[in-house]
Amino acid sequence: MRTITLLQPQKTVFGTGCIDQFADDYLKLGYKRLFIVTMSVVRPAISAMTDKLSANGVSVKFYEDVHGEPSIADFKKILKSAEDFDADSFIGIGGGSILDLTKLTAALLGSTQQIEDLFGTGLIEHRGKWFACAPTTAGTGSEMSPNAILLDERDALKKGVVSPYLIADAAYIDPKLTWTVPAKITAETGMDALTHCIEAYTNKFAHPMVDMFALKGISLIAANLAKAVKNGADAEAREALAAGSMYGGMCLGPVNTAAVHALSYPLGGEYHISHGLSNAILLPSVMRFNCQACVRRYAEVALACGVEQGATDEETAMRGVEFVTSLSKECGIPTTLTEIGIPRSAVAHMAKAAMDVQRLLKNNPREVTEKDAVGIYESLY
């Protein structure tokens, strides 16, 4: 059994309404200049918290200019704003893009390192400012992970920065913040979280200490995603999804994802398809491609999804693939690249670009060649 390191926030608070606890916890730390990265639509849900901070002498700066998948240019813009404010602490309250930008800004404020030099693993040299994360979607699990993703405009490819210094000092996972998330975003981010768990469990470097998080995440998301999509006010389903996303985030550091994510990056980088949607479309095809390499694991994934056991592991595993496909359809997610406007002529270029994401492809249980990548993309037309 290989040695792994589980890196998690020093403090994790989970529960409906727990964001209100942040103000009391923060005031005990002694910081005075809090930079909040969020969206204007979130302001009403956190007004009691921010009012309490202001009343106790904390200077608060809101940064709300985050739209879609973040790029290097977006990061530099937010870093300049934080520098001008002279922030001594941060909290990101939003989806994965907002959390990733918060993590990178807190890590690099005052640093001489340049973001362009940090794509990869373990390249950030020092711990940065104190920061917390509070997700408003049940998807990326960024509040628990050492990862941050940016679009590198130089080659139109999303890239990852991975560092223990990107682990939040505190995470506040409040399912209530997800209640008003639209059905489409609920579906796509939920499929992203499910992909994290499935790719961690079927990973070449899977580990028993992470397997338990992955399987629990799969079962929670599989049983509750459609419920939350159909009724966003279903508090029980929202809590289950938030927990499932958290478990998926806990898998990202010690094990991480694999071919689904690697193949999704060109879709986001070149065609600006959302991360969750890209993963949702690719997941069944990659599961089918990988199954022969670890059929028992995929059968166990299927059982965690709640499907009936087949006569063989192969039959059970294929039922799992069918379940994931059906879940996407039930949640209104497209299942082909044609439906999202990706031309077939793009396949060769996307496959070539995906081969650059060896950071993730090396984790896949079955080797993925450029020809294989072409075949997986082609299967989605």
Side-chain angles (χ1 to χ4, degrees), residues 202 204 286-298 364-367:
T202 58
K204 184 186 293 184
V286 175
M287 290 175 69
R288 195 174 290 110
F289 172 83
N290 282 340
C291 188
Q292 63 179 260
C294 53
V295 65
R296 173 60 65 86
R297 287 250 155 186
Y298 276 103
N364 205 60
R366 181 180 174 189
E367 182 185 1

Side-chain angles (χ1 to χ4, degrees), residues 253-301:
V255 175
N256 216 340
T257 55
V260 176
H261 277 69
L263 292 170
S264 79
Y265 280 5
L267 275 68
E270 291 197 42
Y271 296 97
H272 307 291
I273 305 301
S274 76
H275 182 61
L277 176 56
S278 300
N279 284 340
I281 291 175
L282 284 159
L283 179 58
S285 291
V286 175
M287 290 175 69
R288 195 174 290 110
F289 172 83
N290 282 340
C291 188
Q292 63 179 260
C294 53
V295 65
R296 173 60 65 86
R297 287 250 155 186
Y298 276 103
E300 290 164 349
V301 164

